Amino acid sequence: MSEGLGLADGAVVVAPILEIRGVAKRFDATQALEDVSLSLHAGEIHALLGENGAGKSTLIKIITGVHQPDSGQILLGGQPVTIRSAAEAQRLGVAAIYQEPLLFPDLNVAENIFISHQDRGAVVGWREMFREADKILAELGMTLDVRKPARGLTLAAQQSVEIAKAISLNVRVLIMDEPTASLSAHEVQELFKLVRDLKRQGVAILFVSHRMEEVFEIADKITVFRDGRLISTRTRLEATPQRAIADMVGREIDLTKARTSCAQKDVVLSVADLGRQGVFEGVSFDLHRGEVLGFAGLIGAGRTDVGLALFGIEPATSGRILLGGKPVTVRTARDGMSLGIAYVSEDRRQLGLVLPMSIFANITLPVLRRYLSRLGLVRTGLERRTADTFRDRLAIRTPSVDLEVAKLSGGNQQKVMLSKWLNTNPSVLILDEPTRGVDVGSKAEVHAIIGQLAAEGIGVIVISSDLPEVLVLSDRVLIMREGRQMAILDRAEANEETVMTAAMGQRSTDSIDGRPS
Amino acid sequence: MNWLKRRVRPEQIRELSLLVLILAAIVFFGSFIDNYYSFRTFNRIASSVAIITVVAVGQTLVVLTRNIDLSVGSIVGFTAYFVGTLIASHNGINPILAVAIAIALGAALGVVNGVIVAWGKVPAVVVTLGTLAIYRGVLVDLSGAKTVTTDSLPQWLIDLPLVNVAPIGSLDIRALFMLALVIVVAFQIGTTYLSFARRFYAIGSNPEAAQLIGLPIKSVVFLAFVICGALSGLAGFMLLARFGNITVEAGRGLELSVVAAVVVGGVNVFGGSGTVTGAMLGAVMIGTLEQSLFRLGISEFWLDAVLGLLILLAVASDAVILQRLRQLWGGAELKLLAKETDSVSSEQSASPP
Ligand SMILES: Nc1ncnc2c1ncn2[C@@H]1O[C@H](COP(=O)(O)OP(=O)(O)OP(=O)(O)O)[C@@H](O)[C@H]1O
Ligand SMILES: [Mg+2]
């Protein structure tokens, strides 16, 4: 597959493996794709960029046969094909990781990895399967008990299983829709190593991400979508992040400017030696009014578990929580809510949204009491008005707030979930991966809103695997590793290097202190 | 505790505790029913369990895919009656052929269910509630309300339930019970080791994911109904062998016992988890209760109420207890490989330009 290498300088023209010609797709009132043409060559990594709802996932689902295009053609190896199902796509050598991990909770991890393999014979060799699953995860730099059911895996773990599933298939075209959205820099590097291996073997890769630095690190070609149309395709050498963003949103955005601090003196939440047996331990910090405390760490470091414990979904088994100076017990999510703690989950499908319900019903759900008329009926008009406010504020892309959440694009679902919790007026707001799958423009918007909330005096905890985001937002950064608190760094001390050093468990530099004794 | 957690899954604890409950029930009934601990009791329970078990195995497959087959009682009655009539008029028929006809007849009725559910996209409850009535109605109409009687049947069939295949001490393991055991073992192995059978679990566990990765959902659901029908057909033959006298009422209400067995046996009504072994244990529990309450002279209507209560209890306790157990056991924890971490970090520190 040496032809692929010729592509970088554009001198050699080879037939593409996959070619899309004039594809269009409409969902009711939404024109999701319009006249899109794209080609994908062997040994090429092609990135798709675009705002939330621009049509990236729709294109991918058309390629894998989940949706049928209204018009247009797909050619594989020069032959026009009609792909009716994902299984058929896979037989043709095309596999995908979808934006939302879709595992089988009752099947074990290994079986989840191999379920779509069609070449493993009629009899399941469990031992062999466990061994191979271990091996694939090890290549990703991870271990996971592959005999345990996939039920209750963290999102990062789910995504890792999805990645393992896809790379273990023998394919010509591999499509990855935001595979890195909940991974931290370290795991992303492991993934990229594997992706580069596949590229060397001549696999064509289509890759979606909202993280510019990733796209510009790995992609050979970058295609930008806007409103269902293909705006530009450039080689990486021609493209720049500024140009790409301008193509995406039509304006310049600066995501690197740090927020000005507005932390106040009084402590709103004080946590001492918090732990949950076998999951995390020894977490201690004070959160001030108006402060943004970032949580950094690699996946599996236990950041989400701390958030779940503070909100009461998986309560702590040791330590103390003081809210506004008073000791409190948080045993259930209801406790957390009534104490004025809001937790925006990383896992919008399982813990966040009711997918078949409308946008407005999702947003008002936790505080539905506020929307009751004197007769005890829900005032849907008022609900819609609230939802419309958030729709404007967060730029949720939808024809109407009556639409089912399931029909929104991934990033827009994320915005609905944010709206839902912002609407509860909490005193402590815990945001777990608040911008997972959110496009750059809206990300800036979300950051601005977080700043605004802090300025109103809310204590905010931001858990994020996106380190630049943590650094830009936080007054202080708490770093965890393998269930332990490693350090709390002030804004002045926190930078990519000091945070990563602590997250990887090396306490070499003198700048790392603040570790509770 | 940790050793326990590594060796057994929460679902297996569920099955073990059912075993304990069965023993407790036997001790309980034994304490105030005379002559309870006798071979007669055992044989009675065993032959009623055998029939429930065979149907419950099929029902398990259906329930795993998030469906339900309420027509099993009618299928059992239908095959028992028509195969009975056939044998009565052709006494010389080859026994193997007779069994094959029963299975084929049951499968054919399962095909009807399967086609309408899988391709007609009608909910299984509605479809099979309909066919429950239709199959029974057709049976009543075609039979002219006549009865198959024992004296019209050949001797081999009358003797079949008494055949003792594996005497353990003075305990008889009779042919029908043995047949049920063989079926359970075969399906347990099949659902554990056959790739296509794992799809029953996958489809019930997350239909949306199954759809997205392109599993053939329709054919799998169809297959579940056909197998359930076939096993019900076989159970119809077993019923014929056991009673000899078959009226158009045969097998009526069996679906309640079968669904109870499956649910009590730990098969999740929302699909995706449960085993045929569990369903058999459920059948043993139900069979024991049925026979014991019968011996106590308690009316059949109360028995139905008890079964209903058991179903509710099982579903409710599963929602709570299994959840707790799973939490206690914990899921698979993702860990980064320690060695890898080090090598990468050294690589990273070495690489900056
Ligand atoms: N099943 C569906 N029914 C109705 N509308 C849909 C459906 N799927 C997608 N859409 C709409 O099509 C548009 C494109 O969605 P798509 O998921 O392709 O966006 P995306 O580019 O992947 O966005 P994101 O970055 O948020 O993932 C959106 O406006 C979305 O609401
Ligand atoms: Mg998408």
Side-chain angles (χ1 to χ4, degrees), chain A residues 4 15 29 37 124 148 151 158 194 244 267 282 317 331 357 407 428 431 442 458:
Chain A
S37 301
V124 183
K148 287 229 174 124
R151 185 183 300 284
Q158 291 178 37
L194 290 173
V267 173
T317 51
R331 297 245 138 268
M357 272 174 31
K407 290 187 175 167
V428 174
L431 299 165
S442 313
I458 299 176

Side-chain angles (χ1 to χ4, degrees), chain A residues 56-57 99 177-178 409-410:
Chain A
K56 306 176 295 293
S57 301
Q99 190 167 2
D177 197 353
E178 304 193 28
S409 79

Side-chain angles (χ1 to χ4, degrees), chain A residues 189-207:
Chain A
Q189 287 310 321
E190 295 290 325
L191 172 64
F192 281 2
K193 263 195 241 163
L194 290 173
V195 169
R196 290 198 183 97
D197 272 349
L198 290 174
K199 170 187 156 133
R200 235 166 278 134
Q201 293 159 25
V203 177
I205 292 153
L206 196 62
F207 172 79

Side-chain angles (χ1 to χ4, degrees), chain A residues 7 73 84 116 122 127 130 160 259 378 437 456 471 506:
Chain A
L7 278 167
Q73 237 185 354
R84 278 179 218 86
S116 49
R127 244 163 222 262
F130 290 140
S160 307
R259 202 178 54 80
V378 185
E456 287 167 21
L471 293 174
Q506 295 140 345

Side-chain angles (χ1 to χ4, degrees), chain A residues 86 103 106 111 121-122 124 143, chain B residues 193 195 198 205-206 212 335 337:
Chain A
L103 300 182
D106 298 294
E111 203 173 6
V124 183
T143 57
Chain B
Y193 288 103
S195 306
R198 299 300 302 165
S205 189
N206 189 346
L212 216 50
K335 295 257 157 59
L337 282 180

Side-chain angles (χ1 to χ4, degrees), chain B residues 295-313:
Chain B
R295 285 277 291 279
L296 280 172
I298 288 171
S299 111
E300 233 178 276
F301 304 108
W302 279 111
L303 180 67
D304 282 355
V306 169
L307 290 186
L309 189 68
L310 270 184
I311 294 180
L312 293 182
L313 273 180

